[in-house]
Amino acid sequence: MPPFSDIKVLSKRKQQILDKAQELFSRKGYLTASMRDLAEELDIKPASLYSHYKSKEEILWEIALRCAREFHTAVLHQHAQADDPESQLAGMIRIHISVIVRNIDAAAIFFKEWQELSEPRRSQYKKLIQTYEEAFSDVLKRGIEAGVFRPIPTKFATSMLLSATNWIQHWYKPRGKMKEADVARVCKDFILAGLGNSHVQVKQG
């Protein structure tokens, strides 16, 4: 059972702290950023910050859980749909990318910074990541078995797919030329073409 029950309703001040913390952790890295840095960003005294959260890890855990819940809720819902593997995977890729570009700062935590959690939180979160990745592996495997996708090793295909899409959080700019829908469409078409769907046209520009 995912530990999403740990997620509490936030006060306005706690939401402000989490918003600023995920931006700070994404920019500086969790290990480099300090509670004093966060207090300065919020223009409050460190003592005031500690009155809301006992530790930096408690803040990381809150952010990580909320981010994981968004990915799980959106993408795993699509995975549960009774579509053919190609349509199902296309929808999962599109939604996965949409969650990334809407939450660039939080995405960095879902993909990397969660590894700084201590036990047992680290193991709990690792299971969330594994469950998420297994959903993509399942669709790829069924697509390969059905002859929809080329016979690529499932583990390799899953790793390549998620590596390609997750890298978006490093270069996507909300004010850039490519909008969310453009990024999702081009990435989806590119990946499906690589899986052997020769009828997919990867658009230029």
Side-chain angles (χ1 to χ4, degrees), residues 1-58:
M1 182 73 176
F4 296 142
S5 58
D6 287 359
I7 298 176
K8 306 294 191 298
V9 176
L10 297 176
S11 65
K12 184 177 180 180
R13 172 52 95 182
K14 279 195 170 186
Q15 185 62 63
Q16 290 173 337
I17 292 171
L18 293 190
D19 288 345
K20 185 62 69 175
Q22 69 182 27
E23 187 276 328
L24 180 65
F25 294 165
S26 176
R27 174 163 45 88
K28 296 189 66 172
Y30 173 76
L31 290 179
T32 303
S34 68
M35 289 289 272
R36 182 172 294 278
D37 292 332
L38 180 56
E40 289 179 359
E41 296 264 346
L42 290 162
D43 195 26
I44 60 175
K45 294 182 178 181
S48 178
L49 181 57
Y50 280 107
S51 70
H52 293 285
Y53 288 103
K54 297 178 181 179
S55 68
K56 187 171 69 166
E57 181 172 332
E58 186 179 346

Side-chain angles (χ1 to χ4, degrees), residues 71-85 87-89 91-93 95 131-132 134-136 138-139 142:
F71 275 103
H72 275 239
T73 300
V75 177
L76 298 192
H77 173 76
Q78 177 68 29
H79 173 254
Q81 303 305 303
D83 292 327
D84 64 279
S87 298
Q88 193 175 23
L89 185 62
M92 290 171 69
I93 293 170
I95 296 170
T131 298
Y132 191 77
E134 285 167 2
F136 283 91
D138 173 67
V139 179
R142 288 190 290 104

